Amino acid sequence: MSTAQPTPWPYPLWIAHRGAGKDAPENTLAAFQRGWEAGFRMFECDVKLSADGVPYLLHDATLDRTTNGRGPVEHLTWDDLARLDAGGWHSARYAGERLLRLDQLAAWCEARGALVNLEIKPVPGHETATGAAVARAAQTLWARAAVPPLLTSFQPHALQAALQAAPELPRGLLLESPWPGWEGVAEALQFVALVCHHRLIDAALMQTAQRHGWRMLSYTVNDVAKARRLRQLGVEGLITDVMHLPSSV
C-alpha cells in the first residue's frame, strides 16, 4: 500500500483537461484562464522537456497539430519553441498564443490558488530524463503550495524517475487499458492514484484500487451520465473537456 497518499484527498472532483483545451488552445495560458473563468480550480496538462532541459506544455511529440511548426519536437530548444504560434490553429481569436513553460504555469497557479495535475508526457526515449526534470521543477516551483501538484504518466520509467527525484510529490499511473504487471508496478512505485479511461473503470477495478489504498480518477468524462456512473463507483476525480458540467453529480 502506498505510504504517500494524501489524507483526506485534497483535490477537487472536476479537473479541466489541458486547461480548457477545447474552448481555447490546449495547454496554453489562454486555456487555463478560460477554465478558471468557467469555475474550475484544478487543471490537467501535459509536460515535456525541451532539448535544452526546459519543462514546457505540449501534448504531441510533433508540432503539426497544435502549432504553426512542423515535425518532431525532440531536438528543439526552448528558444525554438518559444517562437511558435500555439493558438492560431484553434481560432483566429487566439492567433499568436505561445507555448507555456512550466514555471509560467506555476506562477499563474500560485497567484490564484489553482491546483494542477501534471501529466509527464515524454518524447519517446526520454522517459527517465523527463520524469526526473519535471519532478524536480515541480518540487521547486510549488514549494510554497498548500497542495502539491499530482504527477501522472502512462510511462512507468518516467514515474520511477519522478519518485527518485522528488519522492514527496504524489504520483499516479495513467491507464488506457491494463497491461501485464501493472498492479505490481503501481505498488512498487508508491502511487497514490490511478487515472483510468472511463470505460475501464468497474466495481472490480475499484476494489483493486481500494485494496491498495489508491484513489481513482477518470478521463475524459464529457457527459453527466458517465460522471454519475463513475461517482457511484467511488471515483474522486473527473477530467473533462466540458466547461459547463454540474459541480456535483
Side-chain angles (χ1 to χ4, degrees):
M1 183 179 295
S2 169
T3 59
Q5 177 177 305
T7 304
W9 189 240
Y11 304 104
L13 173 65
W14 289 105
I15 304 165
H17 188 218
R18 304 181 192 172
K22 297 295 186 183
D23 287 23
E26 64 181 57
N27 286 315
T28 66
L29 193 59
F32 291 97
Q33 188 61 40
R34 169 70 185 103
W36 182 265
E37 292 166 355
F40 284 79
R41 296 300 178 257
M42 185 169 179
F43 303 87
E44 182 270 354
C45 61
D46 307 285
V47 188
K48 281 183 164 52
L49 202 60
S50 69
D52 53 341
V54 177
Y56 72 100
L57 276 56
L58 187 72
H59 180 275
D60 298 357
T62 58
L63 297 168
D64 304 63
R65 183 176 66 88
T66 58
T67 78
N68 65 339
R70 296 290 181 270
V73 301
E74 181 176 2
H75 301 297
L76 298 179
T77 67
W78 174 248
D79 282 348
D80 298 325
L81 295 161
R83 297 188 184 99
L84 297 171
D85 179 348
W89 67 273
H90 180 278
S91 58
R93 173 183 177 183
Y94 293 109
E97 191 73 21
R98 299 302 175 186
L99 294 174
L100 189 62
R101 296 193 313 265
L102 186 60
D103 65 321
Q104 294 171 320
L105 174 62
W108 185 89
C109 289
E110 182 177 20
R112 293 159 180 79
L115 305 182
V116 69
N117 165 202
L118 303 178
E119 181 185 341
I120 303 169
K121 198 81 170 177
V123 172
H126 296 263
E127 291 81 6
T128 297
T130 305
V134 171
R136 284 194 296 267
Q139 181 183 45
T140 299
L141 293 168
W142 275 269
R144 296 180 293 183
V147 179
L150 175 64
L151 306 182
T152 60
S153 186
F154 287 101
Q155 305 296 331
H157 290 303
L159 290 164
Q160 183 175 34
L163 168 62
Q164 293 169 344
E168 71 280 10
L169 293 181
R171 293 165 306 283
L173 178 65
L174 277 155
L175 277 180
E176 177 78 25
S177 60
W179 38 266
W182 75 265
E183 192 173 338
V185 169
E187 188 170 12
L189 294 183
Q190 303 172 32
F191 293 149
V192 304
L194 297 178
V195 187
C196 299
H197 193 283
H198 62 83
R199 288 192 299 267
L200 184 62
I201 300 173
D202 58 16
L205 185 60
M206 289 300 303
Q207 289 171 1
T208 297
Q210 290 162 2
R211 184 170 65 249
H212 288 280
W214 301 326
R215 312 311 261 269
M216 183 69 75
L217 287 72
S218 182
Y219 70 93
T220 303
V221 183
N222 288 339
D223 70 68
V224 173
K226 290 185 177 70
R228 286 177 177 154
R229 182 187 80 85
L230 294 165
R231 286 294 286 155
Q232 289 169 358
L233 286 168
V235 173
E236 295 182 81
L238 302 172
I239 299 171
T240 185
D241 294 314
V242 180
M243 295 295 102
H244 56 268
L245 285 171
S247 59
S248 60
V249 290

